[in-house]
Amino acid sequence: MSATMTEENSKASTRPSLLSRPMGVLAINVAAVVAGIALWAAVTTQGVVGLPTPLAVAHQAVIQAQNGLLWSDAAASLGRVFSGFALGIAVAIPVGFLMGWYRTARGIIEPYVQFFRTIPPLAIIPLAIVTMGIDETPKIFVIFLASFLSSVIATYQGVVNVDKTLINAARVLGANDFAIFRRVIVPASLPYIMVGVRIGLGSSWATVVAAELIAAQSGLGFRMQQAQLYYDLPTIFVSLIAIGVLGLIMDRIVITLDNTMTAWQEKL
């Protein structure tokens, strides 16, 4: 009898729970969003806070979608974020590997990285305007800087935290430095790198609004600034929600890539 109960308990423990199923997680996500919107509607309809109702924001979103402003602003912001983010990640990953693999490179690069990490990317905007003008270059540069500084440390930590037993085992088996780097260091660092990519993506979206204050003529941040002048709260909310939705979609894409590239890793 006890053996049968133990076997049943073992099967139950290995059975995927609701939270471990993709559809179960999706259902919880949808329920959380619906509950949030309902709470928003309740507090704004009763006049508890001076914010627009969900219906007012939805109506403004429809107007902007019909006249094309929402799509053009979203495309402009998305293009800037993607350009700066892609450049930042492309530079951060090799620099992080250099810092982690070579002590000399670490000694040269790390002081500069740590120095600029203490300076908010937004503080670079005046310098970027003076040196790069007011076109797209300074906007992309400050986004690049935000994503680079957020990602390079994660990559560096991924390299230095690789289990030394794996490296020693590879050396015993006759692997040279290049083989160890390619077959041990890179795969073992991928979870850290992908965390850095996600943080860099969030930093890019957090910076785009301020970046679009640099003489922009389009973009979600630019639209929010214009709406602020006329106290147009529904338009501000539309831009905020658009930024959140675009950022969420890009983050889910990164998570999918992470799950594919680190399928070997045990995860909860």
Side-chain angles (χ1 to χ4, degrees):
M1 180 70 177
S2 60
T4 303
M5 293 179 61
T6 302
E7 184 179 354
E8 289 179 354
N9 290 335
S10 176
K11 290 181 179 179
S13 63
T14 57
R15 230 178 262 134
S17 64
L18 176 63
L19 290 177
S20 64
R21 300 171 187 169
M23 293 305 296
V25 175
L26 179 61
I28 294 174
N29 292 155
V30 173
V33 172
V34 172
I37 294 176
L39 179 62
W40 175 15
V43 298
T44 53
T45 302
Q46 299 299 323
V48 178
V49 293
L51 297 176
T53 63
L55 287 178
V57 174
H59 177 68
Q60 184 63 29
V62 170
I63 293 176
Q64 291 192 19
Q66 289 177 342
N67 60 28
L69 280 179
L70 181 59
W71 310 119
S72 61
D73 288 338
S77 295
L78 185 61
R80 291 169 184 138
V81 167
F82 182 78
S83 299
F85 167 70
L87 288 172
I89 296 301
V91 177
I93 292 177
V95 170
F97 276 128
L98 283 174
M99 291 172 58
W101 190 244
Y102 298 107
R103 291 183 180 273
T104 302
R106 184 187 313 173
I108 296 173
I109 300 173
E110 187 175 18
Y112 292 98
V113 172
Q114 297 298 340
F115 173 78
F116 281 103
R117 283 184 67 225
T118 62
I119 302 175
L122 303 185
I124 306 295
I125 289 179
L127 179 62
I129 294 175
V130 172
T131 57
M132 301 179 185
I134 59 174
D135 58 0
E136 291 297 306
T137 303
K139 303 178 185 63
I140 295 175
F141 174 75
V142 293
I143 297 172
F144 155 80
L145 192 62
S147 62
F148 169 79
L149 294 174
S150 300
S151 304
V152 66
I153 296 299
T155 304
Y156 160 69
Q157 289 296 331
V159 175
V160 298
N161 287 334
V162 173
D163 191 349
K164 299 301 185 293
T165 303
L166 299 176
I167 299 175
N168 294 332
R171 292 192 190 281
V172 170
L173 294 173
N176 56 27
D177 285 347
F178 179 75
I180 293 174
F181 183 80
R182 183 172 60 91
R183 303 295 297 274
V184 178
I185 301 297
V186 174
S189 303
L190 272 178
Y192 289 87
I193 294 173
M194 297 310 295
V195 170
V197 170
R198 293 186 66 187
I199 296 174
L201 178 61
S203 299
S204 298
W205 278 108
T207 308
V208 69
V209 174
E212 288 178 344
L213 300 181
I214 309 175
Q217 298 300 318
S218 63
L220 297 170
F222 164 77
R223 195 62 54 194
M224 290 172 62
Q225 182 191 25
Q226 294 297 306
Q228 175 191 1
L229 300 176
Y230 301 99
Y231 204 68
D232 186 358
L233 290 180
T235 297
I236 294 176
F237 267 71
V238 170
S239 297
L240 284 173
I241 293 172
I243 290 174
V245 170
L246 290 174
L248 180 62
I249 292 173
M250 292 182 70
D251 183 70
R252 289 297 178 265
I253 294 173
V254 172
I255 291 177
T256 302
L257 292 175
D258 182 18
N259 292 334
T260 301
M261 297 170 67
T262 62
W264 50 269
Q265 185 184 30
E266 293 185 2
K267 299 179 181 179
L268 294 176

mmCIF file of all heavy atoms in Angstrom, residues 40 44 51-63 232-235 237-238:
data_model
loop_
_atom_site.group_PDB
_atom_site.id
_atom_site.type_symbol
_atom_site.label_atom_id
_atom_site.label_comp_id
_atom_site.label_asym_id
_atom_site.label_seq_id
_atom_site.Cartn_x
_atom_site.Cartn_y
_atom_site.Cartn_z
ATOM 1 N N TRP A 40 -8.314 49.970 -13.217
ATOM 2 C CA TRP A 40 -8.090 51.288 -13.817
ATOM 3 C C TRP A 40 -9.432 51.969 -14.099
ATOM 4 O O TRP A 40 -9.625 53.151 -13.787
ATOM 5 C CB TRP A 40 -7.256 51.105 -15.084
ATOM 6 C CG TRP A 40 -7.031 52.343 -15.890
ATOM 7 C CD1 TRP A 40 -7.227 53.635 -15.514
ATOM 8 C CD2 TRP A 40 -6.566 52.397 -17.254
ATOM 9 N NE1 TRP A 40 -6.918 54.494 -16.551
ATOM 10 C CE2 TRP A 40 -6.505 53.762 -17.614
ATOM 11 C CE3 TRP A 40 -6.190 51.431 -18.180
ATOM 12 C CZ2 TRP A 40 -6.094 54.175 -18.893
ATOM 13 C CZ3 TRP A 40 -5.787 51.838 -19.441
ATOM 14 C CH2 TRP A 40 -5.730 53.193 -19.784
ATOM 15 N N THR A 44 -10.876 55.445 -12.166
ATOM 16 C CA THR A 44 -11.028 56.650 -12.988
ATOM 17 C C THR A 44 -12.490 57.018 -13.202
ATOM 18 O O THR A 44 -12.830 58.202 -13.255
ATOM 19 C CB THR A 44 -10.345 56.457 -14.359
ATOM 20 O OG1 THR A 44 -10.839 55.249 -14.978
ATOM 21 C CG2 THR A 44 -8.838 56.343 -14.203
ATOM 22 N N LEU A 51 -7.129 60.777 -13.930
ATOM 23 C CA LEU A 51 -6.550 60.128 -15.102
ATOM 24 C C LEU A 51 -7.655 59.785 -16.093
ATOM 25 O O LEU A 51 -8.823 59.631 -15.717
ATOM 26 C CB LEU A 51 -5.799 58.851 -14.695
ATOM 27 C CG LEU A 51 -4.597 59.029 -13.773
ATOM 28 C CD1 LEU A 51 -4.023 57.668 -13.397
ATOM 29 C CD2 LEU A 51 -3.539 59.894 -14.431
ATOM 30 N N PRO A 52 -7.311 59.646 -17.366
ATOM 31 C CA PRO A 52 -8.329 59.278 -18.357
ATOM 32 C C PRO A 52 -8.800 57.852 -18.163
ATOM 33 O O PRO A 52 -8.063 56.999 -17.668
ATOM 34 C CB PRO A 52 -7.594 59.450 -19.694
ATOM 35 C CG PRO A 52 -6.157 59.255 -19.356
ATOM 36 C CD PRO A 52 -5.987 59.829 -17.984
ATOM 37 N N THR A 53 -10.026 57.586 -18.552
ATOM 38 C CA THR A 53 -10.579 56.238 -18.450
ATOM 39 C C THR A 53 -10.028 55.362 -19.579
ATOM 40 O O THR A 53 -9.537 55.877 -20.593
ATOM 41 C CB THR A 53 -12.105 56.276 -18.548
ATOM 42 O OG1 THR A 53 -12.471 56.774 -19.857
ATOM 43 C CG2 THR A 53 -12.701 57.187 -17.481
ATOM 44 N N PRO A 54 -10.116 54.045 -19.419
ATOM 45 C CA PRO A 54 -9.675 53.164 -20.512
ATOM 46 C C PRO A 54 -10.407 53.431 -21.825
ATOM 47 O O PRO A 54 -9.802 53.345 -22.900
ATOM 48 C CB PRO A 54 -9.986 51.758 -19.979
ATOM 49 C CG PRO A 54 -9.938 51.900 -18.494
ATOM 50 C CD PRO A 54 -10.462 53.285 -18.213
ATOM 51 N N LEU A 55 -11.698 53.780 -21.750
ATOM 52 C CA LEU A 55 -12.445 54.065 -22.974
ATOM 53 C C LEU A 55 -11.910 55.317 -23.671
ATOM 54 O O LEU A 55 -11.821 55.357 -24.910
ATOM 55 C CB LEU A 55 -13.936 54.234 -22.656
ATOM 56 C CG LEU A 55 -14.705 52.956 -22.315
ATOM 57 C CD1 LEU A 55 -16.147 53.275 -21.965
ATOM 58 C CD2 LEU A 55 -14.635 51.972 -23.483
ATOM 59 N N ALA A 56 -11.557 56.340 -22.891
ATOM 60 C CA ALA A 56 -11.004 57.563 -23.482
ATOM 61 C C ALA A 56 -9.666 57.288 -24.154
ATOM 62 O O ALA A 56 -9.390 57.799 -25.254
ATOM 63 C CB ALA A 56 -10.858 58.642 -22.415
ATOM 64 N N VAL A 57 -8.848 56.480 -23.521
ATOM 65 C CA VAL A 57 -7.554 56.133 -24.112
ATOM 66 C C VAL A 57 -7.743 55.288 -25.364
ATOM 67 O O VAL A 57 -7.072 55.491 -26.383
ATOM 68 C CB VAL A 57 -6.687 55.385 -23.073
ATOM 69 C CG1 VAL A 57 -5.389 54.889 -23.710
ATOM 70 C CG2 VAL A 57 -6.376 56.303 -21.894
ATOM 71 N N ALA A 58 -8.674 54.332 -25.302
ATOM 72 C CA ALA A 58 -8.939 53.495 -26.468
ATOM 73 C C ALA A 58 -9.465 54.339 -27.627
ATOM 74 O O ALA A 58 -9.084 54.119 -28.796
ATOM 75 C CB ALA A 58 -9.941 52.399 -26.111
ATOM 76 N N HIS A 59 -10.328 55.302 -27.326
ATOM 77 C CA HIS A 59 -10.859 56.182 -28.380
ATOM 78 C C HIS A 59 -9.740 56.995 -29.021
ATOM 79 O O HIS A 59 -9.678 57.123 -30.252
ATOM 80 C CB HIS A 59 -11.910 57.116 -27.770
ATOM 81 C CG HIS A 59 -12.476 58.109 -28.740
ATOM 82 N ND1 HIS A 59 -13.274 57.736 -29.800
ATOM 83 C CD2 HIS A 59 -12.330 59.467 -28.823
ATOM 84 C CE1 HIS A 59 -13.623 58.815 -30.481
ATOM 85 N NE2 HIS A 59 -13.051 59.878 -29.920
ATOM 86 N N GLN A 60 -8.828 57.514 -28.203
ATOM 87 C CA GLN A 60 -7.701 58.277 -28.740
ATOM 88 C C GLN A 60 -6.778 57.383 -29.561
ATOM 89 O O GLN A 60 -6.234 57.814 -30.584
ATOM 90 C CB GLN A 60 -6.923 58.931 -27.599
ATOM 91 C CG GLN A 60 -5.781 59.825 -28.041
ATOM 92 C CD GLN A 60 -6.258 61.022 -28.852
ATOM 93 O OE1 GLN A 60 -7.377 61.503 -28.655
ATOM 94 N NE2 GLN A 60 -5.439 61.505 -29.757
ATOM 95 N N ALA A 61 -6.602 56.143 -29.126
ATOM 96 C CA ALA A 61 -5.759 55.202 -29.878
ATOM 97 C C ALA A 61 -6.352 54.921 -31.253
ATOM 98 O O ALA A 61 -5.623 54.849 -32.254
ATOM 99 C CB ALA A 61 -5.592 53.903 -29.097
ATOM 100 N N VAL A 62 -7.677 54.787 -31.306
ATOM 101 C CA VAL A 62 -8.344 54.547 -32.592
ATOM 102 C C VAL A 62 -8.159 55.744 -33.515
ATOM 103 O O VAL A 62 -7.876 55.593 -34.714
ATOM 104 C CB VAL A 62 -9.839 54.247 -32.369
ATOM 105 C CG1 VAL A 62 -10.589 54.237 -33.701
ATOM 106 C CG2 VAL A 62 -10.006 52.907 -31.659
ATOM 107 N N ILE A 63 -8.308 56.950 -32.972
ATOM 108 C CA ILE A 63 -8.128 58.165 -33.791
ATOM 109 C C ILE A 63 -6.709 58.233 -34.347
ATOM 110 O O ILE A 63 -6.500 58.490 -35.542
ATOM 111 C CB ILE A 63 -8.448 59.422 -32.948
ATOM 112 C CG1 ILE A 63 -9.934 59.465 -32.583
ATOM 113 C CG2 ILE A 63 -8.046 60.690 -33.702
ATOM 114 C CD1 ILE A 63 -10.306 60.619 -31.670
ATOM 115 N N ASP A 232 -2.822 66.760 -22.741
ATOM 116 C CA ASP A 232 -3.596 65.729 -23.442
ATOM 117 C C ASP A 232 -3.227 64.368 -22.851
ATOM 118 O O ASP A 232 -2.396 63.632 -23.392
ATOM 119 C CB ASP A 232 -3.270 65.790 -24.942
ATOM 120 C CG ASP A 232 -4.140 64.845 -25.756
ATOM 121 O OD1 ASP A 232 -4.965 64.131 -25.163
ATOM 122 O OD2 ASP A 232 -3.967 64.805 -26.990
ATOM 123 N N LEU A 233 -3.866 64.027 -21.743
ATOM 124 C CA LEU A 233 -3.531 62.792 -21.041
ATOM 125 C C LEU A 233 -3.836 61.524 -21.846
ATOM 126 O O LEU A 233 -3.061 60.568 -21.800
ATOM 127 C CB LEU A 233 -4.259 62.746 -19.696
ATOM 128 C CG LEU A 233 -3.760 63.741 -18.638
ATOM 129 C CD1 LEU A 233 -4.568 63.599 -17.353
ATOM 130 C CD2 LEU A 233 -2.290 63.528 -18.360
ATOM 131 N N PRO A 234 -4.953 61.443 -22.589
ATOM 132 C CA PRO A 234 -5.190 60.220 -23.371
ATOM 133 C C PRO A 234 -4.070 59.929 -24.366
ATOM 134 O O PRO A 234 -3.660 58.769 -24.533
ATOM 135 C CB PRO A 234 -6.514 60.512 -24.083
ATOM 136 C CG PRO A 234 -7.215 61.455 -23.167
ATOM 137 C CD PRO A 234 -6.138 62.328 -22.601
ATOM 138 N N THR A 235 -3.547 60.971 -25.025
ATOM 139 C CA THR A 235 -2.451 60.758 -25.973
ATOM 140 C C THR A 235 -1.193 60.274 -25.255
ATOM 141 O O THR A 235 -0.475 59.400 -25.754
ATOM 142 C CB THR A 235 -2.151 62.058 -26.738
ATOM 143 O OG1 THR A 235 -3.297 62.420 -27.511
ATOM 144 C CG2 THR A 235 -0.954 61.871 -27.675
ATOM 145 N N PHE A 237 -1.132 58.508 -22.557
ATOM 146 C CA PHE A 237 -1.368 57.107 -22.206
ATOM 147 C C PHE A 237 -1.229 56.202 -23.422
ATOM 148 O O PHE A 237 -0.721 55.078 -23.321
ATOM 149 C CB PHE A 237 -2.750 56.945 -21.578
ATOM 150 C CG PHE A 237 -2.751 57.037 -20.085
ATOM 151 C CD1 PHE A 237 -2.532 58.247 -19.446
ATOM 152 C CD2 PHE A 237 -2.957 55.920 -19.305
ATOM 153 C CE1 PHE A 237 -2.516 58.346 -18.076
ATOM 154 C CE2 PHE A 237 -2.944 55.990 -17.922
ATOM 155 C CZ PHE A 237 -2.728 57.215 -17.298
ATOM 156 N N VAL A 238 -1.696 56.658 -24.567
ATOM 157 C CA VAL A 238 -1.565 55.857 -25.789
ATOM 158 C C VAL A 238 -0.097 55.582 -26.087
ATOM 159 O O VAL A 238 0.301 54.447 -26.398
ATOM 160 C CB VAL A 238 -2.250 56.558 -26.972
ATOM 161 C CG1 VAL A 238 -1.895 55.848 -28.292
ATOM 162 C CG2 VAL A 238 -3.756 56.570 -26.793
#
